[in-house]
């Protein structure tokens, strides 16, 4: 199931090329080199490179199942395949066991199963549209739940409003996707 989803996303070029985490053939080094390349290009063009770095809090635990399923539908996951994802996500329960006592089972509405092969891929689907929600001049580099946003600007431009706009745009996307 996981490999079929990855193949589907890659075949249709749905996966952001700026996402370096949890992808075969992509490493933290690739993400860092991409950032260094962007900074170097700005330097060579006698520009300043403004960056904002984000790290999501408990990101895997905060994935909203309804939003994730809507994103899967948007990318074209339909029929039986979509029903499998619905079953995988929406019918999960958890309970707490202390010695011999069990709590009542609770329905899980958020999060992708950690430790699973499919969890990281579903998480990437969830984050995939972040890049498209930003201003087209903002360069996005993602490694799992860590994101760097950057923009080369002329040295005479005021950095503060540009940085505020980047933070505002990212914050709006994170809020709409229930991430902090």
């Amino acid at each position: 199931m996981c490999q079929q989803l990855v193949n589907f996303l890659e075949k249709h070029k749905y996966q952001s090329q700026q996402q370096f985490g949890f992808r075969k053939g992509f490493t933290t080094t690739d993400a860092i080199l991409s950032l260094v390349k962007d900074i170097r290009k700005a330097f060579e063009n006698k520009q300043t490179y403004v960056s904002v770095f984000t790290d999501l809090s408990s990101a895997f635990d905060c994935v909203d199942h309804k939003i994730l399923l809507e994103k899967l539908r948007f990318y074209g996951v339909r029929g039986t395949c979509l029903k499998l994802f619905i079953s995988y996500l929406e019918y999960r329960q958890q309970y707490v066991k202390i010695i011999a006592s069990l709590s009542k089972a609770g329905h899980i509405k958020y999060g992708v199963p950690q430790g699973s092969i499919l969890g990281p891929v579903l998480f990437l689907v969830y984050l995939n549209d972040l890049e498209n929600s930003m201003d087209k001049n903002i360069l996005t580099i993602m490694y799992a739940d860590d994101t760097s946003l950057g923009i080369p600007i002329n040295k005479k431009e005021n950095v503060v409003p540009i940085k505020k706009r980047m933070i505002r745009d990212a914050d709006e996307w994170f809020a709409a996707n229930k991430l902090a």
Side-chain angles (χ1 to χ4, degrees), residues 66-102:
K66 288 182 181 178
I67 293 172
L68 174 57
L69 291 168
E70 196 53 46
K71 290 181 184 208
L72 286 167
R73 277 186 202 95
F74 174 80
Y75 290 120
V77 177
R78 306 259 193 284
T80 304
C81 190
L82 183 61
K83 287 178 186 174
L84 280 168
F85 286 114
I86 291 169
S87 174
Y88 182 73
L89 293 168
E90 290 194 345
Y91 302 112
R92 299 181 85 78
Q93 294 185 338
Q94 69 181 14
Y95 62 89
V96 175
K97 179 179 179 182
I98 300 176
I99 305 172
S101 299
L102 291 178

Short mmCIF file of all heavy atoms in Angstrom, two decimals, residues 66-102:
data_model
loop_
_atom_site.label_atom_id
_atom_site.label_comp_id
_atom_site.label_asym_id
_atom_site.label_seq_id
_atom_site.Cartn_x
_atom_site.Cartn_y
_atom_site.Cartn_z
N LYS A 66 -9.42 14.11 8.66
CA LYS A 66 -10.33 14.64 7.62
C LYS A 66 -9.55 15.46 6.59
O LYS A 66 -9.78 15.34 5.40
CB LYS A 66 -11.45 15.46 8.25
CG LYS A 66 -12.45 14.60 8.97
CD LYS A 66 -13.59 15.41 9.53
CE LYS A 66 -14.53 14.46 10.25
NZ LYS A 66 -15.63 15.13 10.88
N ILE A 67 -8.63 16.28 7.07
CA ILE A 67 -7.83 17.10 6.15
C ILE A 67 -6.93 16.19 5.30
O ILE A 67 -6.83 16.38 4.08
CB ILE A 67 -6.99 18.14 6.92
CG1 ILE A 67 -7.90 19.17 7.59
CG2 ILE A 67 -5.99 18.83 5.99
CD1 ILE A 67 -7.19 20.13 8.54
N LEU A 68 -6.30 15.21 5.93
CA LEU A 68 -5.42 14.30 5.19
C LEU A 68 -6.20 13.54 4.12
O LEU A 68 -5.75 13.45 2.96
CB LEU A 68 -4.74 13.31 6.13
CG LEU A 68 -3.90 12.21 5.47
CD1 LEU A 68 -2.81 12.79 4.59
CD2 LEU A 68 -3.31 11.30 6.53
N LEU A 69 -7.37 13.04 4.45
CA LEU A 69 -8.18 12.30 3.47
C LEU A 69 -8.62 13.22 2.33
O LEU A 69 -8.67 12.80 1.17
CB LEU A 69 -9.37 11.64 4.16
CG LEU A 69 -9.00 10.48 5.08
CD1 LEU A 69 -10.18 10.07 5.94
CD2 LEU A 69 -8.45 9.29 4.29
N GLU A 70 -8.91 14.47 2.65
CA GLU A 70 -9.28 15.43 1.60
C GLU A 70 -8.09 15.69 0.68
O GLU A 70 -8.25 15.81 -0.54
CB GLU A 70 -9.76 16.74 2.24
CG GLU A 70 -10.50 17.63 1.29
CD GLU A 70 -11.66 16.95 0.58
OE1 GLU A 70 -12.47 16.24 1.21
OE2 GLU A 70 -11.76 17.12 -0.66
N LYS A 71 -6.90 15.74 1.23
CA LYS A 71 -5.70 15.94 0.40
C LYS A 71 -5.45 14.71 -0.47
O LYS A 71 -5.09 14.85 -1.64
CB LYS A 71 -4.48 16.24 1.28
CG LYS A 71 -4.58 17.63 1.91
CD LYS A 71 -3.37 17.96 2.76
CE LYS A 71 -3.59 19.31 3.43
NZ LYS A 71 -2.37 20.02 3.71
N LEU A 72 -5.66 13.52 0.06
CA LEU A 72 -5.52 12.31 -0.76
C LEU A 72 -6.52 12.34 -1.91
O LEU A 72 -6.17 12.02 -3.05
CB LEU A 72 -5.71 11.06 0.10
CG LEU A 72 -4.55 10.71 1.04
CD1 LEU A 72 -4.98 9.65 2.05
CD2 LEU A 72 -3.34 10.25 0.25
N ARG A 73 -7.76 12.74 -1.62
CA ARG A 73 -8.78 12.87 -2.69
C ARG A 73 -8.34 13.88 -3.73
O ARG A 73 -8.47 13.65 -4.93
CB ARG A 73 -10.12 13.32 -2.10
CG ARG A 73 -10.96 12.23 -1.52
CD ARG A 73 -12.34 12.75 -1.08
NE ARG A 73 -12.90 11.86 -0.10
CZ ARG A 73 -12.82 12.00 1.22
NH1 ARG A 73 -12.20 13.04 1.75
NH2 ARG A 73 -13.35 11.12 2.02
N PHE A 74 -7.79 15.01 -3.27
CA PHE A 74 -7.34 16.06 -4.18
C PHE A 74 -6.28 15.53 -5.14
O PHE A 74 -6.28 15.87 -6.32
CB PHE A 74 -6.78 17.24 -3.39
CG PHE A 74 -6.16 18.31 -4.24
CD1 PHE A 74 -6.96 19.24 -4.88
CD2 PHE A 74 -4.79 18.38 -4.41
CE1 PHE A 74 -6.39 20.22 -5.70
CE2 PHE A 74 -4.21 19.35 -5.22
CZ PHE A 74 -5.02 20.27 -5.86
N TYR A 75 -5.38 14.67 -4.63
CA TYR A 75 -4.32 14.12 -5.47
C TYR A 75 -4.81 12.97 -6.35
O TYR A 75 -4.04 12.46 -7.16
CB TYR A 75 -3.12 13.68 -4.63
CG TYR A 75 -2.37 14.86 -4.04
CD1 TYR A 75 -2.23 15.01 -2.67
CD2 TYR A 75 -1.83 15.84 -4.86
CE1 TYR A 75 -1.55 16.10 -2.14
CE2 TYR A 75 -1.16 16.93 -4.34
CZ TYR A 75 -1.02 17.05 -2.97
OH TYR A 75 -0.36 18.14 -2.45
N GLY A 76 -6.06 12.58 -6.19
CA GLY A 76 -6.61 11.57 -7.08
C GLY A 76 -6.75 10.18 -6.50
O GLY A 76 -7.03 9.23 -7.24
N VAL A 77 -6.56 10.04 -5.21
CA VAL A 77 -6.77 8.73 -4.57
C VAL A 77 -8.28 8.54 -4.43
O VAL A 77 -8.96 9.33 -3.79
CB VAL A 77 -6.07 8.65 -3.19
CG1 VAL A 77 -6.36 7.33 -2.52
CG2 VAL A 77 -4.57 8.87 -3.36
N ARG A 78 -8.80 7.48 -5.04
CA ARG A 78 -10.25 7.26 -5.09
C ARG A 78 -10.58 5.78 -4.86
O ARG A 78 -9.69 4.94 -4.78
CB ARG A 78 -10.80 7.64 -6.47
CG ARG A 78 -10.45 9.05 -6.94
CD ARG A 78 -11.61 10.00 -6.75
NE ARG A 78 -11.45 11.26 -7.45
CZ ARG A 78 -10.67 12.25 -7.08
NH1 ARG A 78 -9.89 12.12 -6.06
NH2 ARG A 78 -10.63 13.39 -7.74
N GLY A 79 -11.86 5.50 -4.80
CA GLY A 79 -12.37 4.13 -4.77
C GLY A 79 -11.86 3.30 -3.61
O GLY A 79 -11.77 3.77 -2.47
N THR A 80 -11.54 2.05 -3.91
CA THR A 80 -11.10 1.10 -2.90
C THR A 80 -9.86 1.58 -2.17
O THR A 80 -9.74 1.41 -0.95
CB THR A 80 -10.83 -0.28 -3.55
OG1 THR A 80 -12.00 -0.70 -4.23
CG2 THR A 80 -10.44 -1.31 -2.52
N CYS A 81 -8.95 2.19 -2.90
CA CYS A 81 -7.71 2.70 -2.29
C CYS A 81 -8.04 3.74 -1.22
O CYS A 81 -7.51 3.69 -0.11
CB CYS A 81 -6.81 3.28 -3.37
SG CYS A 81 -5.16 3.67 -2.76
N LEU A 82 -8.93 4.66 -1.53
CA LEU A 82 -9.31 5.69 -0.56
C LEU A 82 -10.01 5.04 0.64
O LEU A 82 -9.76 5.42 1.79
CB LEU A 82 -10.21 6.75 -1.20
CG LEU A 82 -10.60 7.90 -0.28
CD1 LEU A 82 -9.36 8.66 0.20
CD2 LEU A 82 -11.56 8.84 -0.97
N LYS A 83 -10.84 4.05 0.38
CA LYS A 83 -11.53 3.35 1.48
C LYS A 83 -10.53 2.68 2.41
O LYS A 83 -10.73 2.64 3.62
CB LYS A 83 -12.52 2.32 0.92
CG LYS A 83 -13.75 2.95 0.31
CD LYS A 83 -14.67 1.91 -0.27
CE LYS A 83 -15.83 2.57 -1.01
NZ LYS A 83 -16.66 1.58 -1.71
N LEU A 84 -9.44 2.15 1.85
CA LEU A 84 -8.40 1.55 2.69
C LEU A 84 -7.77 2.60 3.61
O LEU A 84 -7.54 2.34 4.79
CB LEU A 84 -7.32 0.92 1.82
CG LEU A 84 -7.62 -0.46 1.26
CD1 LEU A 84 -6.59 -0.84 0.20
CD2 LEU A 84 -7.64 -1.49 2.37
N PHE A 85 -7.49 3.77 3.06
CA PHE A 85 -6.91 4.84 3.88
C PHE A 85 -7.90 5.31 4.94
O PHE A 85 -7.51 5.59 6.08
CB PHE A 85 -6.44 6.01 3.02
CG PHE A 85 -5.19 5.72 2.26
CD1 PHE A 85 -5.20 5.66 0.87
CD2 PHE A 85 -3.99 5.50 2.92
CE1 PHE A 85 -4.04 5.37 0.17
CE2 PHE A 85 -2.82 5.22 2.22
CZ PHE A 85 -2.86 5.16 0.85
N ILE A 86 -9.17 5.40 4.59
CA ILE A 86 -10.19 5.78 5.57
C ILE A 86 -10.21 4.77 6.70
O ILE A 86 -10.19 5.13 7.89
CB ILE A 86 -11.58 5.90 4.89
CG1 ILE A 86 -11.61 7.11 3.96
CG2 ILE A 86 -12.68 6.00 5.95
CD1 ILE A 86 -12.83 7.18 3.05
N SER A 87 -10.21 3.49 6.35
CA SER A 87 -10.22 2.44 7.36
C SER A 87 -8.96 2.50 8.22
O SER A 87 -9.01 2.37 9.44
CB SER A 87 -10.33 1.07 6.68
OG SER A 87 -10.20 0.04 7.61
N TYR A 88 -7.84 2.72 7.58
CA TYR A 88 -6.55 2.77 8.27
C TYR A 88 -6.49 3.91 9.28
O TYR A 88 -5.93 3.78 10.36
CB TYR A 88 -5.43 2.92 7.23
CG TYR A 88 -4.04 2.94 7.77
CD1 TYR A 88 -3.44 1.77 8.25
CD2 TYR A 88 -3.29 4.11 7.79
CE1 TYR A 88 -2.13 1.77 8.73
CE2 TYR A 88 -1.99 4.12 8.27
CZ TYR A 88 -1.41 2.95 8.74
OH TYR A 88 -0.13 2.97 9.21
N LEU A 89 -7.08 5.04 8.93
CA LEU A 89 -7.00 6.22 9.79
C LEU A 89 -8.17 6.40 10.74
O LEU A 89 -7.99 6.69 11.92
CB LEU A 89 -6.89 7.48 8.91
CG LEU A 89 -5.62 7.64 8.11
CD1 LEU A 89 -5.77 8.75 7.09
CD2 LEU A 89 -4.44 7.89 9.03
N GLU A 90 -9.38 6.25 10.24
CA GLU A 90 -10.55 6.67 11.00
C GLU A 90 -11.08 5.65 11.99
O GLU A 90 -11.86 5.99 12.85
CB GLU A 90 -11.66 7.12 10.06
CG GLU A 90 -11.32 8.42 9.37
CD GLU A 90 -12.50 9.08 8.70
OE1 GLU A 90 -13.55 8.43 8.52
OE2 GLU A 90 -12.37 10.26 8.37
N TYR A 91 -10.71 4.43 11.87
CA TYR A 91 -11.27 3.42 12.76
C TYR A 91 -10.25 2.93 13.79
O TYR A 91 -10.33 1.82 14.28
CB TYR A 91 -11.85 2.26 11.94
CG TYR A 91 -12.90 2.74 10.97
CD1 TYR A 91 -12.69 2.69 9.61
CD2 TYR A 91 -14.09 3.30 11.43
CE1 TYR A 91 -13.64 3.17 8.71
CE2 TYR A 91 -15.04 3.79 10.54
CZ TYR A 91 -14.80 3.72 9.20
OH TYR A 91 -15.74 4.20 8.32
N ARG A 92 -9.33 3.80 14.14
CA ARG A 92 -8.30 3.44 15.12
C ARG A 92 -8.78 3.85 16.52
O ARG A 92 -9.46 4.86 16.69
CB ARG A 92 -7.00 4.15 14.81
CG ARG A 92 -6.42 3.79 13.45
CD ARG A 92 -5.12 4.51 13.19
NE ARG A 92 -3.99 3.82 13.76
CZ ARG A 92 -3.42 2.74 13.22
NH1 ARG A 92 -3.90 2.24 12.11
NH2 ARG A 92 -2.40 2.17 13.79
N GLN A 93 -8.39 3.03 17.48
CA GLN A 93 -8.70 3.34 18.87
C GLN A 93 -7.45 3.13 19.69
O GLN A 93 -6.52 2.43 19.29
CB GLN A 93 -9.81 2.42 19.38
CG GLN A 93 -11.14 2.65 18.71
CD GLN A 93 -12.24 1.81 19.34
OE1 GLN A 93 -11.98 0.80 19.99
NE2 GLN A 93 -13.47 2.24 19.16
N GLN A 94 -7.46 3.74 20.87
CA GLN A 94 -6.36 3.52 21.79
C GLN A 94 -6.90 3.46 23.20
O GLN A 94 -7.98 3.97 23.49
CB GLN A 94 -5.30 4.61 21.67
CG GLN A 94 -5.72 5.97 22.15
CD GLN A 94 -4.62 7.00 21.96
OE1 GLN A 94 -3.66 6.78 21.25
NE2 GLN A 94 -4.76 8.12 22.60
N TYR A 95 -6.14 2.82 24.04
CA TYR A 95 -6.48 2.76 25.46
C TYR A 95 -5.18 2.75 26.25
O TYR A 95 -4.10 2.57 25.71
CB TYR A 95 -7.34 1.53 25.79
CG TYR A 95 -6.65 0.22 25.50
CD1 TYR A 95 -5.87 -0.41 26.47
CD2 TYR A 95 -6.78 -0.39 24.26
CE1 TYR A 95 -5.23 -1.60 26.20
CE2 TYR A 95 -6.14 -1.59 23.98
CZ TYR A 95 -5.36 -2.19 24.97
OH TYR A 95 -4.72 -3.37 24.71
N VAL A 96 -5.32 2.97 27.55
CA VAL A 96 -4.17 2.99 28.44
C VAL A 96 -4.27 1.79 29.37
O VAL A 96 -5.35 1.50 29.90
CB VAL A 96 -4.12 4.30 29.27
CG1 VAL A 96 -2.98 4.27 30.27
CG2 VAL A 96 -4.01 5.50 28.35
N LYS A 97 -3.15 1.10 29.55
CA LYS A 97 -3.11 -0.04 30.45
C LYS A 97 -2.11 0.27 31.56
O LYS A 97 -0.95 0.58 31.29
CB LYS A 97 -2.71 -1.30 29.70
CG LYS A 97 -2.64 -2.52 30.59
CD LYS A 97 -2.25 -3.76 29.79
CE LYS A 97 -2.15 -4.95 30.72
NZ LYS A 97 -1.73 -6.16 30.00
N ILE A 98 -2.56 0.20 32.79
CA ILE A 98 -1.69 0.36 33.95
C ILE A 98 -1.84 -0.92 34.77
O ILE A 98 -2.92 -1.20 35.28
CB ILE A 98 -2.05 1.61 34.78
CG1 ILE A 98 -1.93 2.86 33.93
CG2 ILE A 98 -1.17 1.69 36.02
CD1 ILE A 98 -2.35 4.14 34.60
N ILE A 99 -0.77 -1.66 34.81
CA ILE A 99 -0.74 -2.99 35.43
C ILE A 99 -1.84 -3.84 34.80
O ILE A 99 -1.72 -4.24 33.66
CB ILE A 99 -0.78 -2.92 36.97
CG1 ILE A 99 0.36 -2.00 37.47
CG2 ILE A 99 -0.67 -4.32 37.57
CD1 ILE A 99 0.30 -1.69 38.93
N ALA A 100 -2.94 -4.12 35.53
CA ALA A 100 -4.01 -4.96 34.98
C ALA A 100 -5.25 -4.15 34.63
O ALA A 100 -6.25 -4.69 34.16
CB ALA A 100 -4.37 -6.08 35.96
N SER A 101 -5.20 -2.84 34.83
CA SER A 101 -6.37 -2.00 34.57
C SER A 101 -6.30 -1.38 33.18
O SER A 101 -5.27 -0.85 32.78
CB SER A 101 -6.46 -0.87 35.60
OG SER A 101 -6.60 -1.39 36.90
N LEU A 102 -7.43 -1.45 32.48
CA LEU A 102 -7.53 -0.86 31.14
C LEU A 102 -8.50 0.30 31.16
O LEU A 102 -9.57 0.22 31.76
CB LEU A 102 -8.05 -1.89 30.13
CG LEU A 102 -7.14 -3.04 29.76
CD1 LEU A 102 -7.85 -3.98 28.79
CD2 LEU A 102 -5.88 -2.52 29.12
#
